[in-house]
Amino acid sequence: MNRDIQEILISEKRIEEMVTALAEQINEDFKYKEIILVGLLKGSVVFMSDILRKINMPCSIDFMIASSYGSGTMSSGVVKISKDLSVDIENKNVIIIEDIVDSGNTLSSIMELLKNRNPASLKLCSLLSKPSRRVKEVKIDYLGTEIPDEFVVGYGLDYDERYRNLPYIGVLKPEIYL
Ligand code: IMP
Ligand code: MG
């Protein structure tokens, strides 16, 4: 599997530091409040499980499945929700947990959808962002780091459902998907 990786972009150690810093900001901002972390499946599961254990206030979790991708590496722009939340978020403090914001299509429609359910607050926490690919503007309240326009895998991120189990974030060799 590692043979398909061109370069390690973010090491395990750096990921850990990023997740710790993000959790500290959230802990600070939501002191004495209760929050719901909403993970977007499947890419956010690894990030979710790590950040969750660094949150130190009452906290519940839920998941959604949304996709703007076809089978390739390009966003289709059409966002499909195939699993919605199982809890009511009205008057709740919601933080969406996402692996990466690319075109912004997925997140802008999810934010819009959830905003209409009248949460007390709605924030976005994303581990990665590829600003050069943005089609729709999305405000990322808590961001791990920006990355260049390269297709990355690992730490939950996949190509064709593979590589999610890599403990680091690496650039996939283009010959794998070209
Ligand atoms: P967006 O709607 O274009 O912002 O797409 C966001 C989703 O596309 C993310 O949640 C990922 O699942 C997927 N994605 C975007 N870029 C990458 C990447 O470099 N590697 C793996 N998945 C990606
Ligand atoms: Mg995703």
Side-chain angles (χ1 to χ4, degrees), residues 18-150:
M18 275 166 29
V19 176
T20 303
L22 290 170
E24 277 169 5
Q25 285 178 51
I26 292 172
N27 287 334
E28 185 60 36
D29 292 354
F30 289 89
K31 230 182 243 172
Y32 313 120
K33 291 192 181 135
E34 202 166 322
I35 59 175
I36 303 180
L37 301 181
V38 171
L40 301 189
L41 294 174
K42 304 171 195 171
S44 71
V45 283
V46 184
F47 179 34
M48 169 71 108
S49 73
D50 280 348
I51 198 163
L52 176 63
R53 286 173 288 174
K54 295 178 192 284
I55 299 286
N56 60 17
M57 75 220 53
C59 165
S60 59
I61 61 170
D62 202 354
F63 295 94
M64 286 177 91
I65 302 180
S67 55
S68 72
Y69 267 53
S71 54
T73 60
M74 296 301 271
S75 173
S76 67
V78 181
V79 177
K80 197 181 96 201
I81 310 275
S82 49
K83 187 217 168 287
D84 204 340
L85 294 177
S86 57
V87 294
D88 187 2
I89 58 167
E90 191 169 349
N91 296 323
K92 302 280 169 60
N93 296 300
V94 177
I95 303 178
I96 299 173
I97 304 292
E98 174 64 313
D99 49 2
I100 184 166
V101 180
D102 187 31
S103 70
N105 284 325
T106 310
L107 262 301
S108 65
S109 41
I110 298 275
M111 295 292 275
E112 203 53 45
L113 179 81
L114 297 189
K115 218 177 282 171
N116 288 332
R117 298 181 188 175
N118 301 315
S121 65
L122 179 63
K123 304 281 180 196
L124 170 60
C125 172
S126 182
L127 186 67
L128 306 175
S129 171
K130 283 189 217 169
S132 62
R133 300 248 309 169
R134 208 70 95 243
V135 175
K136 294 230 180 79
E137 202 190 316
V138 181
K139 179 168 175 265
I140 307 177
D141 303 283
Y142 305 97
L143 175 66
T145 186
E146 292 185 346
I147 61 165
D149 180 10
E150 280 171 307

